[in-house]
Amino acid sequence: MDKYKGKKPITIVTGCLGSGKTTILQEILKDDEIKKNTAVIVNEFGKVGLDHHLLRKSVERTILLNNGCICCNSREDLAEELKSLLNMDEMGVSTFDRVIIETTGMADPSPILFTVLTNPLLQHRYVIDCVIATVDAKNGLLQFENNSELIKQITVADKIVITKTDITPEEEIGELLKLITDISPSCELHRAIHGQVDKSIIIGNKASYPSPLKQSNISRDNHYSSDIRSISFTIKKPLDWTAFGLWLSMLLHAKGEDVLRVKGLLDVGEKGPIVLNGVQHIIHPPQHLEEWPLDEKNSHLVFILRSIDPQSIERSLKAFQTFLNTEIELLELQAVL
């Protein structure tokens, strides 16, 4: 099943204030192929926006939403602009193949995903391709302590771009990278130097495919205090997809607000796996792949949790494995922050 068939991909770019979102987008939009086929929606606080003027130099189809944060009270504005873009595209007034949404520095991307994935029109005309978060290498460690939105942005992101690496000591970058991978063990990491990053990050979301983690340190703590945890599983045999859907639905019904992210590459007995991708209560439409993207054909499942004992997920999943008709093994349990 091609999740892009007949749909226009949306890339969401998020990150703390001053972390380099606009600079990265300016660099990406220098690519002529991306530039000519892209519409950009910029969300800024206040009546006078600046970022959209910078991006409009690159892309004429740049829209400013300045009536508040689109993760809070401007989601109707976002939905209307996405519909308006479709109308202009269909009339041939301004055609496009892709939308990039730049959020404010204080945004939680989850409600934006909810808007696209639950709106009756938008869910049939758009697909969330990926979420990219920018993290300031110089100030990132301090922002983790003082900015809870950064943790939300990291848990939702598929790809993370570390900015300002040219002015940050390597030991600080290393500590930041360790912290990020503790929070989101399956994220795809990129570095930006002087705002330059591989333009291909905007196209395609291979980060949706969780891979086995490189290490297995059980309950590793550090000096940050929070209640974010992650737990990962390897599943050795094909599982019953219907039974798994029932188990996951029950989990999200009971604890969905605190299941910050769930990602999976699941063997259900078909030629290729199913890609599972969810944020809190919202599960993206499962994608059926024609073949395995990885050499190893075991299923992998990753949860990022808030205020939930990850071992309770393990106990529940293993208790249910008889109905799933499979065998589940703990891969890694992280006391993240």
Side-chain angles (χ1 to χ4, degrees):
M1 181 186 299
D2 184 358
K3 72 173 182 175
Y4 299 95
K5 189 174 182 179
K7 298 182 180 182
K8 296 182 183 295
I10 293 176
T11 299
I12 297 170
V13 179
T14 188
C16 282
L17 292 167
S19 63
K21 298 185 294 297
T22 303
T23 302
I24 293 297
L25 281 180
Q26 284 182 291
E27 182 65 27
I28 289 171
L29 293 170
K30 288 179 182 178
D31 184 281
D32 289 338
E33 193 64 28
I34 296 175
K35 174 180 174 180
K36 72 179 182 180
N37 295 317
T38 300
V40 179
I41 297 175
V42 179
N43 183 209
E44 295 188 68
F45 280 112
K47 295 297 180 184
V48 180
L50 298 176
D51 288 355
H52 75 292
H53 291 303
L54 299 174
L55 293 174
R56 187 164 284 151
K57 293 179 181 180
S58 302
V59 176
E60 186 176 337
R61 294 175 298 275
T62 299
I63 301 159
L64 172 66
L65 297 181
N66 63 352
N67 291 326
C69 180
I70 52 178
C71 76
C72 305
N73 59 342
S74 292
R75 282 185 280 161
E76 288 185 7
D77 291 350
L78 173 63
E80 289 306 311
E81 288 297 347
L82 289 171
K83 292 175 185 177
S84 177
L85 285 170
L86 288 174
N87 289 334
M88 290 190 291
D89 183 70
E90 290 173 354
M91 292 187 295
V93 175
S94 181
T95 60
F96 69 100
D97 294 329
R98 170 179 299 275
V99 177
I100 297 174
I101 300 173
E102 180 189 347
T103 75
T104 71
M106 290 158 284
D108 173 1
S110 303
I112 303 170
L113 300 179
F114 181 87
T115 298
V116 176
L117 293 170
T118 60
N119 183 283
L121 174 62
L122 300 182
Q123 65 179 273
H124 289 104
R125 302 299 302 277
Y126 290 103
V127 59
I128 300 295
D129 189 23
C130 68
V131 179
I132 299 172
T134 55
V135 179
D136 180 341
K138 191 66 181 173
N139 301 300
L141 293 173
L142 181 62
Q143 288 173 338
F144 269 112
E145 292 188 77
N146 300 324
N147 191 332
S148 60
E149 285 77 17
L150 177 56
I151 295 177
K152 295 177 182 177
Q153 292 163 358
I154 293 296
T155 57
V156 171
D158 301 294
K159 303 177 183 182
I160 295 169
V161 179
I162 311 299
T163 64
K164 306 180 186 178
T165 56
D166 49 303
I167 61 171
T168 308
E170 194 61 36
E171 57 270 23
E172 290 183 24
I173 296 174
E175 187 176 353
L176 181 64
L177 291 174
K178 178 179 177 294
L179 182 56
I180 290 171
T181 53
D182 279 352
I183 295 171
S184 184
S186 61
C187 68
E188 186 179 300
L189 292 170
H190 300 263
R191 289 194 187 199
I193 300 176
H194 300 296
Q196 296 184 343
V197 68
D198 187 345
K199 299 175 181 64
S200 66
I201 68 166
I202 212 74
I203 301 173
N205 182 18
K206 298 302 182 185
S208 283
Y209 311 147
S211 57
L213 303 182
K214 302 299 183 185
Q215 54 191 357
S216 183
N217 299 324
I218 305 301
S219 297
R220 187 173 69 221
D221 293 287
N222 58 38
H223 62 281
Y224 293 91
S225 60
S226 183
D227 51 2
I228 308 295
R229 303 288 185 268
S230 73
I231 189 166
S232 307
F233 300 97
T234 295
I235 304 172
K236 297 293 187 180
K237 294 166 54 181
L239 56 80
D240 184 308
W241 175 240
T242 302
F244 178 79
L246 176 62
W247 176 83
L248 184 61
S249 295
M250 291 190 296
L251 171 65
L252 296 181
H253 179 74
K255 300 285 187 179
E257 194 169 310
D258 292 319
V259 179
L260 299 181
R261 193 72 191 271
V262 55
K263 298 175 75 172
L265 190 66
L266 304 177
D267 181 359
V268 296
E270 299 176 356
K271 182 179 178 181
I274 286 180
V275 177
L276 178 70
N277 200 343
V279 176
Q280 294 181 308
H281 294 282
I282 304 301
I283 297 293
H284 294 231
Q287 182 186 3
H288 296 252
L289 301 184
E290 295 297 325
E291 58 184 17
W292 284 81
L294 307 170
D295 293 334
E296 185 182 355
K297 294 186 177 181
N298 289 334
S299 296
H300 298 289
L301 188 60
V302 178
F303 291 91
I304 301 175
L305 310 165
R306 177 183 58 201
S307 303
I308 298 177
D309 178 5
Q311 291 177 316
S312 68
I313 302 292
E314 179 186 9
R315 289 192 296 269
S316 173
L317 194 54
K318 286 187 173 180
F320 212 74
Q321 67 183 355
T322 300
F323 298 98
L324 299 176
N325 193 32
T326 190
E327 297 174 3
I328 295 166
E329 296 181 5
L330 175 66
L331 181 60
E332 180 164 82
L333 169 62
Q334 294 270 35
V336 175
L337 294 177

